[in-house]
Amino acid sequence: QVQLVESGGGLVQAGGSLRLSCAASGINFSTYALGWYRQALGKQRELVAAITKDGNTNYADSAKGRFTISRDNAKSTVYLQMNSLKPEDTAVYYCNANWMIRFYWGEGTLVTVSS
């Protein structure tokens, strides 16, 4: 049984910081590429940040310079450190794990940034 469980979401004021975590089980974690996506109300789901099994990262333009994705293979956990948060960052954030043709999604964690 594959499980991806996000945590760390919540309410934060604009300019504040939040650290999201996604703990995976049931997969060979170190072989998977990982990503964080978000979906705001009325909008499509979009990629925020991604990290390869070797630790290479890429970010959406909206996240670059503010967000940092990292992984801890020993803990089978991927993190998203979010700084300088803006109200437009408000969304449900989902973690994703991908290897070959296999892909999995967490159920999401809500981040609300107040102005």
Side-chain angles (χ1 to χ4, degrees):
Q1 189 105 329
V2 176
Q3 286 192 92
L4 274 64
V5 181
E6 300 99 335
S7 62
L11 176 64
V12 65
Q13 293 184 349
S17 298
L18 216 55
R19 182 178 172 88
L20 305 183
S21 300
C22 175
S25 60
I27 63 172
N28 191 354
F29 185 85
S30 63
T31 69
Y32 277 70
L34 305 164
W36 285 97
Y37 292 71
R38 69 186 180 190
Q39 186 167 23
L41 281 174
K43 296 184 178 180
Q44 296 181 10
R45 189 173 298 186
E46 63 176 351
L47 176 68
V48 178
I51 185 168
T52 71
K53 66 182 182 66
D54 298 315
N56 296 313
T57 60
N58 65 279
Y59 299 90
D61 288 341
S62 61
K64 195 170 186 178
R66 299 188 298 127
F67 294 3
T68 303
I69 187 171
S70 61
R71 65 190 296 161
D72 187 337
N73 289 340
K75 296 181 178 180
S76 295
T77 301
V78 59
Y79 304 95
L80 184 68
Q81 178 67 46
M82 304 187 293
N83 299 326
S84 302
L85 283 162
K86 305 173 181 179
E88 59 211 61
D89 294 319
T90 296
V92 177
Y93 284 72
Y94 301 88
C95 66
N96 167 268
N98 175 252
W99 177 71
M100 300 287 283
I101 62 170
R102 302 184 188 277
F103 57 94
Y104 303 99
W105 292 97
E107 292 186 350
T109 185
L110 177 63
V111 171
T112 303
V113 184
S114 63
S115 59

mmCIF file of all heavy atoms in Angstrom, residues 91-115:
data_model
loop_
_atom_site.group_PDB
_atom_site.id
_atom_site.type_symbol
_atom_site.label_atom_id
_atom_site.label_comp_id
_atom_site.label_asym_id
_atom_site.label_seq_id
_atom_site.Cartn_x
_atom_site.Cartn_y
_atom_site.Cartn_z
ATOM 1 N N ALA A 91 -3.437 27.875 -1.418
ATOM 2 C CA ALA A 91 -3.811 26.751 -2.265
ATOM 3 C C ALA A 91 -3.724 25.472 -1.450
ATOM 4 O O ALA A 91 -3.202 25.462 -0.334
ATOM 5 C CB ALA A 91 -2.884 26.650 -3.477
ATOM 6 N N VAL A 92 -4.236 24.402 -2.022
ATOM 7 C CA VAL A 92 -3.963 23.075 -1.500
ATOM 8 C C VAL A 92 -2.672 22.592 -2.150
ATOM 9 O O VAL A 92 -2.549 22.612 -3.375
ATOM 10 C CB VAL A 92 -5.114 22.093 -1.779
ATOM 11 C CG1 VAL A 92 -4.752 20.699 -1.284
ATOM 12 C CG2 VAL A 92 -6.392 22.573 -1.113
ATOM 13 N N TYR A 93 -1.736 22.177 -1.339
ATOM 14 C CA TYR A 93 -0.439 21.721 -1.821
ATOM 15 C C TYR A 93 -0.383 20.204 -1.781
ATOM 16 O O TYR A 93 -0.710 19.582 -0.768
ATOM 17 C CB TYR A 93 0.687 22.318 -0.975
ATOM 18 C CG TYR A 93 0.952 23.769 -1.289
ATOM 19 C CD1 TYR A 93 0.043 24.756 -0.907
ATOM 20 C CD2 TYR A 93 2.097 24.155 -1.982
ATOM 21 C CE1 TYR A 93 0.267 26.080 -1.216
ATOM 22 C CE2 TYR A 93 2.327 25.482 -2.290
ATOM 23 C CZ TYR A 93 1.414 26.440 -1.906
ATOM 24 O OH TYR A 93 1.643 27.761 -2.207
ATOM 25 N N TYR A 94 0.050 19.614 -2.893
ATOM 26 C CA TYR A 94 0.121 18.169 -3.045
ATOM 27 C C TYR A 94 1.555 17.737 -3.315
ATOM 28 O O TYR A 94 2.265 18.382 -4.083
ATOM 29 C CB TYR A 94 -0.730 17.699 -4.228
ATOM 30 C CG TYR A 94 -2.192 18.037 -4.142
ATOM 31 C CD1 TYR A 94 -2.674 19.248 -4.622
ATOM 32 C CD2 TYR A 94 -3.099 17.134 -3.599
ATOM 33 C CE1 TYR A 94 -4.019 19.556 -4.561
ATOM 34 C CE2 TYR A 94 -4.443 17.433 -3.541
ATOM 35 C CZ TYR A 94 -4.900 18.641 -4.025
ATOM 36 O OH TYR A 94 -6.240 18.935 -3.970
ATOM 37 N N CYS A 95 1.969 16.641 -2.717
ATOM 38 C CA CYS A 95 3.253 16.063 -3.088
ATOM 39 C C CYS A 95 3.037 14.943 -4.090
ATOM 40 O O CYS A 95 1.983 14.304 -4.140
ATOM 41 C CB CYS A 95 4.039 15.566 -1.867
ATOM 42 S SG CYS A 95 3.314 14.183 -0.972
ATOM 43 N N ASN A 96 4.046 14.736 -4.913
ATOM 44 C CA ASN A 96 4.002 13.750 -5.981
ATOM 45 C C ASN A 96 5.308 12.979 -6.003
ATOM 46 O O ASN A 96 6.376 13.543 -5.779
ATOM 47 C CB ASN A 96 3.777 14.451 -7.325
ATOM 48 C CG ASN A 96 4.036 13.547 -8.516
ATOM 49 O OD1 ASN A 96 5.157 13.506 -9.045
ATOM 50 N ND2 ASN A 96 3.015 12.828 -8.940
ATOM 51 N N ALA A 97 5.214 11.689 -6.259
ATOM 52 C CA ALA A 97 6.385 10.833 -6.427
ATOM 53 C C ALA A 97 6.277 10.118 -7.756
ATOM 54 O O ALA A 97 5.214 9.559 -8.083
ATOM 55 C CB ALA A 97 6.487 9.827 -5.285
ATOM 56 N N ASN A 98 7.359 10.135 -8.532
ATOM 57 C CA ASN A 98 7.336 9.575 -9.871
ATOM 58 C C ASN A 98 8.589 8.756 -10.143
ATOM 59 O O ASN A 98 9.701 9.191 -9.864
ATOM 60 C CB ASN A 98 7.198 10.700 -10.903
ATOM 61 C CG ASN A 98 7.281 10.201 -12.322
ATOM 62 O OD1 ASN A 98 8.269 10.431 -13.011
ATOM 63 N ND2 ASN A 98 6.236 9.525 -12.774
ATOM 64 N N TRP A 99 8.382 7.566 -10.689
ATOM 65 C CA TRP A 99 9.482 6.693 -11.125
ATOM 66 C C TRP A 99 8.997 5.868 -12.295
ATOM 67 O O TRP A 99 8.003 5.144 -12.193
ATOM 68 C CB TRP A 99 9.946 5.789 -9.983
ATOM 69 C CG TRP A 99 11.013 4.817 -10.380
ATOM 70 C CD1 TRP A 99 12.314 5.098 -10.668
ATOM 71 C CD2 TRP A 99 10.881 3.397 -10.530
ATOM 72 N NE1 TRP A 99 13.003 3.946 -10.994
ATOM 73 C CE2 TRP A 99 12.139 2.882 -10.914
ATOM 74 C CE3 TRP A 99 9.812 2.504 -10.366
ATOM 75 C CZ2 TRP A 99 12.351 1.526 -11.144
ATOM 76 C CZ3 TRP A 99 10.030 1.160 -10.601
ATOM 77 C CH2 TRP A 99 11.286 0.688 -10.974
ATOM 78 N N MET A 100 9.683 6.002 -13.424
ATOM 79 C CA MET A 100 9.291 5.305 -14.643
ATOM 80 C C MET A 100 7.834 5.668 -14.971
ATOM 81 O O MET A 100 7.516 6.833 -15.159
ATOM 82 C CB MET A 100 9.497 3.798 -14.486
ATOM 83 C CG MET A 100 10.946 3.414 -14.198
ATOM 84 S SD MET A 100 12.017 3.580 -15.655
ATOM 85 C CE MET A 100 11.559 2.100 -16.553
ATOM 86 N N ILE A 101 6.961 4.663 -15.046
ATOM 87 C CA ILE A 101 5.554 4.928 -15.331
ATOM 88 C C ILE A 101 4.705 4.978 -14.077
ATOM 89 O O ILE A 101 3.482 5.129 -14.148
ATOM 90 C CB ILE A 101 4.959 3.888 -16.302
ATOM 91 C CG1 ILE A 101 5.007 2.488 -15.689
ATOM 92 C CG2 ILE A 101 5.684 3.926 -17.633
ATOM 93 C CD1 ILE A 101 4.222 1.458 -16.483
ATOM 94 N N ARG A 102 5.340 4.882 -12.928
ATOM 95 C CA ARG A 102 4.611 4.933 -11.672
ATOM 96 C C ARG A 102 4.571 6.358 -11.136
ATOM 97 O O ARG A 102 5.581 7.056 -11.131
ATOM 98 C CB ARG A 102 5.258 4.021 -10.627
ATOM 99 C CG ARG A 102 5.355 2.572 -11.065
ATOM 100 C CD ARG A 102 5.916 1.702 -9.956
ATOM 101 N NE ARG A 102 6.186 0.343 -10.413
ATOM 102 C CZ ARG A 102 5.282 -0.622 -10.485
ATOM 103 N NH1 ARG A 102 4.029 -0.384 -10.125
ATOM 104 N NH2 ARG A 102 5.631 -1.827 -10.907
ATOM 105 N N PHE A 103 3.409 6.782 -10.708
ATOM 106 C CA PHE A 103 3.266 8.088 -10.103
ATOM 107 C C PHE A 103 2.191 8.046 -9.027
ATOM 108 O O PHE A 103 1.184 7.352 -9.169
ATOM 109 C CB PHE A 103 2.957 9.173 -11.141
ATOM 110 C CG PHE A 103 1.726 8.914 -11.955
ATOM 111 C CD1 PHE A 103 0.502 9.438 -11.573
ATOM 112 C CD2 PHE A 103 1.788 8.163 -13.120
ATOM 113 C CE1 PHE A 103 -0.637 9.211 -12.331
ATOM 114 C CE2 PHE A 103 0.663 7.930 -13.890
ATOM 115 C CZ PHE A 103 -0.555 8.456 -13.490
ATOM 116 N N TYR A 104 2.420 8.777 -7.972
ATOM 117 C CA TYR A 104 1.520 8.775 -6.826
ATOM 118 C C TYR A 104 1.326 10.192 -6.317
ATOM 119 O O TYR A 104 2.201 11.048 -6.452
ATOM 120 C CB TYR A 104 2.089 7.901 -5.704
ATOM 121 C CG TYR A 104 2.359 6.481 -6.132
ATOM 122 C CD1 TYR A 104 3.639 6.077 -6.468
ATOM 123 C CD2 TYR A 104 1.330 5.550 -6.194
ATOM 124 C CE1 TYR A 104 3.895 4.770 -6.870
ATOM 125 C CE2 TYR A 104 1.576 4.248 -6.594
ATOM 126 C CZ TYR A 104 2.850 3.862 -6.928
ATOM 127 O OH TYR A 104 3.096 2.564 -7.322
ATOM 128 N N TRP A 105 0.158 10.408 -5.726
ATOM 129 C CA TRP A 105 -0.203 11.708 -5.169
ATOM 130 C C TRP A 105 -0.599 11.584 -3.707
ATOM 131 O O TRP A 105 -1.233 10.601 -3.305
ATOM 132 C CB TRP A 105 -1.391 12.315 -5.913
ATOM 133 C CG TRP A 105 -1.114 12.723 -7.318
ATOM 134 C CD1 TRP A 105 -1.373 12.010 -8.444
ATOM 135 C CD2 TRP A 105 -0.542 13.958 -7.749
ATOM 136 N NE1 TRP A 105 -0.998 12.715 -9.555
ATOM 137 C CE2 TRP A 105 -0.485 13.915 -9.161
ATOM 138 C CE3 TRP A 105 -0.076 15.091 -7.088
ATOM 139 C CZ2 TRP A 105 0.024 14.974 -9.914
ATOM 140 C CZ3 TRP A 105 0.430 16.137 -7.833
ATOM 141 C CH2 TRP A 105 0.475 16.074 -9.226
ATOM 142 N N GLY A 106 -0.243 12.582 -2.932
ATOM 143 C CA GLY A 106 -0.801 12.722 -1.608
ATOM 144 C C GLY A 106 -2.178 13.350 -1.688
ATOM 145 O O GLY A 106 -2.639 13.757 -2.761
ATOM 146 N N GLU A 107 -2.846 13.432 -0.561
ATOM 147 C CA GLU A 107 -4.198 13.984 -0.535
ATOM 148 C C GLU A 107 -4.223 15.495 -0.369
ATOM 149 O O GLU A 107 -5.277 16.107 -0.532
ATOM 150 C CB GLU A 107 -5.015 13.327 0.578
ATOM 151 C CG GLU A 107 -5.301 11.858 0.315
ATOM 152 C CD GLU A 107 -6.223 11.241 1.339
ATOM 153 O OE1 GLU A 107 -6.497 11.891 2.368
ATOM 154 O OE2 GLU A 107 -6.681 10.106 1.109
ATOM 155 N N GLY A 108 -3.096 16.095 -0.072
ATOM 156 C CA GLY A 108 -2.986 17.540 -0.036
ATOM 157 C C GLY A 108 -3.054 18.123 1.362
ATOM 158 O O GLY A 108 -3.624 17.534 2.277
ATOM 159 N N THR A 109 -2.467 19.295 1.497
ATOM 160 C CA THR A 109 -2.533 20.056 2.732
ATOM 161 C C THR A 109 -2.801 21.516 2.376
ATOM 162 O O THR A 109 -2.214 22.054 1.443
ATOM 163 C CB THR A 109 -1.237 19.910 3.560
ATOM 164 O OG1 THR A 109 -1.382 20.579 4.813
ATOM 165 C CG2 THR A 109 -0.026 20.470 2.828
ATOM 166 N N LEU A 110 -3.707 22.139 3.102
ATOM 167 C CA LEU A 110 -4.143 23.492 2.780
ATOM 168 C C LEU A 110 -3.213 24.527 3.392
ATOM 169 O O LEU A 110 -2.921 24.490 4.592
ATOM 170 C CB LEU A 110 -5.572 23.717 3.274
ATOM 171 C CG LEU A 110 -6.154 25.120 3.062
ATOM 172 C CD1 LEU A 110 -6.251 25.444 1.580
ATOM 173 C CD2 LEU A 110 -7.518 25.231 3.719
ATOM 174 N N VAL A 111 -2.779 25.453 2.554
ATOM 175 C CA VAL A 111 -1.998 26.605 2.985
ATOM 176 C C VAL A 111 -2.823 27.854 2.725
ATOM 177 O O VAL A 111 -3.244 28.096 1.593
ATOM 178 C CB VAL A 111 -0.653 26.693 2.248
ATOM 179 C CG1 VAL A 111 0.052 28.016 2.556
ATOM 180 C CG2 VAL A 111 0.232 25.513 2.612
ATOM 181 N N THR A 112 -3.057 28.626 3.767
ATOM 182 C CA THR A 112 -3.797 29.871 3.643
ATOM 183 C C THR A 112 -2.914 31.019 4.112
ATOM 184 O O THR A 112 -2.436 31.014 5.246
ATOM 185 C CB THR A 112 -5.088 29.841 4.477
ATOM 186 O OG1 THR A 112 -5.904 28.733 4.070
ATOM 187 C CG2 THR A 112 -5.871 31.129 4.292
ATOM 188 N N VAL A 113 -2.712 31.987 3.236
ATOM 189 C CA VAL A 113 -1.876 33.146 3.543
ATOM 190 C C VAL A 113 -2.776 34.368 3.620
ATOM 191 O O VAL A 113 -3.404 34.749 2.629
ATOM 192 C CB VAL A 113 -0.779 33.358 2.492
ATOM 193 C CG1 VAL A 113 0.124 34.519 2.903
ATOM 194 C CG2 VAL A 113 0.036 32.086 2.309
ATOM 195 N N SER A 114 -2.837 34.971 4.779
ATOM 196 C CA SER A 114 -3.686 36.129 4.988
ATOM 197 C C SER A 114 -2.925 37.412 4.691
ATOM 198 O O SER A 114 -1.706 37.490 4.867
ATOM 199 C CB SER A 114 -4.223 36.151 6.415
ATOM 200 O OG SER A 114 -3.169 36.273 7.355
ATOM 201 N N SER A 115 -3.657 38.427 4.252
ATOM 202 C CA SER A 115 -3.058 39.713 3.930
ATOM 203 C C SER A 115 -3.038 40.635 5.132
ATOM 204 O O SER A 115 -3.694 40.370 6.156
ATOM 205 C CB SER A 115 -3.800 40.370 2.771
ATOM 206 O OG SER A 115 -5.159 40.560 3.105
#
